[in-house]
Amino acid sequence: MHLRQILFGAFALLIAASAEPAAARVQQPGEASGGTVRIHSGFVRATAGPALDTAAYLVITNTGLQPERLLYVETPFAERGELRQTRFNEDGALETRRIRSISIPPGRTIRLRPGGDHLVFCGLAKPLAQHERIPVTLTFAKAGRIELSLPVATAGARQPPS
């Protein structure tokens, strides 16, 4: 009887240890997941000269059956994070404006990239240099808060550092 209780307890611990926690679990730099949201290929651009604003890019997949929305972005390295959209205006010039959320349809993948929807960190505490990493928290309507570490790529990078 005693051996059976020990084996049962060990088996229960093994199952509990292998289960993914309800909160988001940080993975590789630029990657994270939480709920039905998967994030990968994330990076932030190094600042150019004394600039204290920079952009960040990533890929978000909604594996769920319901629409998801990215609502907020924040990092302790900046005064504020913003969701931005770059589009051509009626005069044919590129225009960047702040937006309230970014939609991710069910079963779809979106890319936050230069020239499109992206993240901006304003009022950085210090310039960012290549090879650093910064902690970032994304807040989604359904998945909640997902924390990840973004690697810093070169100032004009269009893809994550290798």
Side-chain angles (χ1 to χ4, degrees), residues 17-98:
S18 66
E20 187 170 333
R25 187 175 78 194
V26 174
Q27 297 163 356
Q28 297 297 317
E31 298 182 4
S33 62
T36 61
V37 172
R38 305 290 178 260
I39 301 163
H40 67 89
S41 303
F43 70 99
V44 61
R45 285 180 170 169
T47 50
L52 293 179
D53 292 354
T54 193
Y57 310 98
L58 41 88
V59 177
I60 305 171
T61 300
N62 177 1
T63 63
L65 300 175
Q66 299 297 317
E68 180 63 274
R69 288 183 307 130
L70 174 59
L71 303 173
Y72 306 105
V73 59
E74 59 188 319
T75 179
F77 282 71
E79 289 177 12
R80 71 182 184 281
E82 297 180 356
L83 308 177
R84 296 262 184 106
Q85 181 180 68
T86 303
R87 298 285 185 258
F88 287 100
N89 65 19
E90 57 276 352
D91 298 328
L94 275 179
E95 182 177 80
T96 299
R97 66 181 180 98
R98 191 172 180 182

Side-chain angles (χ1 to χ4, degrees), residues 115-137:
D117 293 348
H118 59 283
L119 310 175
V120 173
F121 297 115
C122 304
L124 293 168
K126 68 176 188 70
L128 298 179
Q130 187 178 3
H131 305 299
E132 291 182 311
R133 290 192 183 141
I134 65 165
V136 172
T137 303

